[in-house]
Amino acid sequence: MGTIATGRESGGLAKLVCNFSRYGFRILHGGCERCRCGPGDQLRRVLQLFKTLHRTRQQVFKNDTRALEAARIKINEEFKSNKSETSHKKIEELIKIGSDVELLLRTSVVQGIHTDHNTLKLVPRKELLIENVPYCDAPTQKK
């Protein structure tokens, strides 16, 4: 899958160099006092995000091969474009963006199927269907 090696940098901090050629990204991080993360914590979170995004893609775009392929390509492109990022702060920011995208896909995207020329049939997933709570005109007073 890839190679893992440790080395020393000019500041004396050990860095973990992980180069996963299969997924096309690289992380240089060996833990730091600022965030108190372990040597493999950030790598684990990036891999977990990558896998979660692909699982969400498969659920959201089920039975739509064109959307599945487009989402797969976009996810892989985004990870590959940031594969040489070494800044801990920037990697954390990218992880946050990826997590937000996954949440948005999972909670906001609904499939639509063209049935006629001007008709679109929506196919919501079960996790998107929630109990409808009626609106209350008279708000309750807090005591």
Side-chain angles (χ1 to χ4, degrees):
M1 181 170 13
T3 58
I4 298 177
T6 58
R8 293 241 172 234
E9 218 175 42
S10 60
L13 295 172
K15 294 288 183 176
L16 180 66
V17 180
C18 301
N19 183 8
F20 284 81
S21 58
R22 178 177 175 196
Y23 298 117
F25 54 86
R26 178 179 169 160
I27 295 175
L28 301 174
H29 188 66
C32 58
E33 293 180 20
R34 183 179 67 221
C35 65
R36 296 187 178 165
C37 57
D41 185 54
Q42 204 169 37
L43 173 63
R44 181 188 55 78
R45 290 176 51 222
V46 169
L47 285 171
Q48 182 179 20
L49 176 62
F50 184 80
K51 291 176 182 180
T52 303
L53 280 167
H54 278 289
R55 285 187 192 117
T56 302
R57 165 189 71 90
Q58 290 173 343
Q59 292 171 357
V60 170
F61 302 117
K62 187 184 233 179
N63 300 325
D64 187 351
T65 56
R66 190 167 58 174
L68 279 167
E69 184 64 17
R72 184 188 68 78
I73 290 170
K74 183 65 175 169
I75 292 167
N76 291 343
E77 280 178 359
E78 289 298 321
F79 274 81
K80 285 179 184 178
S81 69
N82 295 297
K83 70 180 179 180
S84 61
E85 185 61 54
T86 59
S87 168
H88 176 73
K89 188 174 182 178
K90 179 67 175 174
I91 292 171
E92 288 299 320
E93 183 181 311
L94 291 169
I95 290 172
K96 174 71 172 122
I97 291 169
S99 298
D100 291 346
V101 167
E102 191 274 333
L103 180 67
L104 185 72
L105 279 173
R106 189 169 24 92
T107 59
S108 302
V109 176
V110 178
Q111 276 186 314
I113 301 171
H114 287 282
T115 55
D116 290 332
H117 177 65
N118 290 333
T119 308
L120 191 67
K121 178 184 174 187
L122 295 180
V123 184
R125 295 179 314 281
K126 289 181 182 178
E127 56 268 10
L128 289 180
L129 299 175
I130 58 172
E131 187 66 34
N132 191 7
V133 179
Y135 176 74
C136 180
D137 285 331
T140 58
Q141 296 291 328
K142 293 184 179 179
K143 293 182 181 181

